Amino acid sequence: KIERIAVLKKYRNRGTSRKIMSFIISQVKNRGFSKVYLHAQHTAVEFYRSCGFRVVGTPFKEAGIQHIKMELDLFDIISSNTSNSLEYS
């Protein structure tokens, strides 16, 4: 499970979050996992979708904030050549 990803405001919209996610996902993939999931805050769902995650649950509250479970199937990334803006090496 990926948890507690945050980027300081002054570094947002510069690709920092995408680079962090790319690094994390490459590490998970290199360790042989087939899936990774996270609990996305409502405001971050589209970002995670752009990283290849898909919604797999219904909304719920975590720490008083609306979240939804999202999952990335690493086998799909490995076995297909779909273009994705992240590089998972």
Side-chain angles (χ1 to χ4, degrees):
K1 178 181 177 188
I2 297 173
E3 294 189 80
R4 309 289 184 233
I5 302 298
V7 174
L8 293 171
K9 239 180 202 176
K10 67 181 182 178
Y11 296 108
R12 292 179 191 166
N13 299 311
R14 296 181 182 187
T16 305
S17 298
R18 194 161 300 282
K19 288 175 187 173
I20 291 169
M21 289 303 297
S22 180
F23 175 78
I24 291 169
I25 292 167
S26 70
Q27 293 299 304
V28 170
K29 187 181 105 179
N30 290 340
R31 285 172 172 75
F33 291 94
S34 61
K35 290 185 181 186
V36 64
Y37 73 96
L38 52 80
H39 294 164
Q41 289 186 14
H42 174 71
T43 56
V45 168
E46 290 308 315
F47 168 73
Y48 290 120
R49 275 194 179 127
S50 76
C51 294
F53 285 80
R54 63 184 177 85
V55 171
V56 293
T58 56
F60 60 92
K61 291 251 182 169
E62 186 173 283
I65 302 168
Q66 192 76 18
H67 285 74
I68 193 154
K69 184 176 180 180
M70 298 185 79
E71 182 178 86
L72 177 64
D73 188 334
L74 298 171
F75 182 75
D76 286 347
I77 293 171
I78 296 164
S79 64
S80 70
N81 270 337
T82 58
S83 66
N84 194 314
S85 56
L86 296 179
E87 294 180 23
Y88 307 119
S89 36

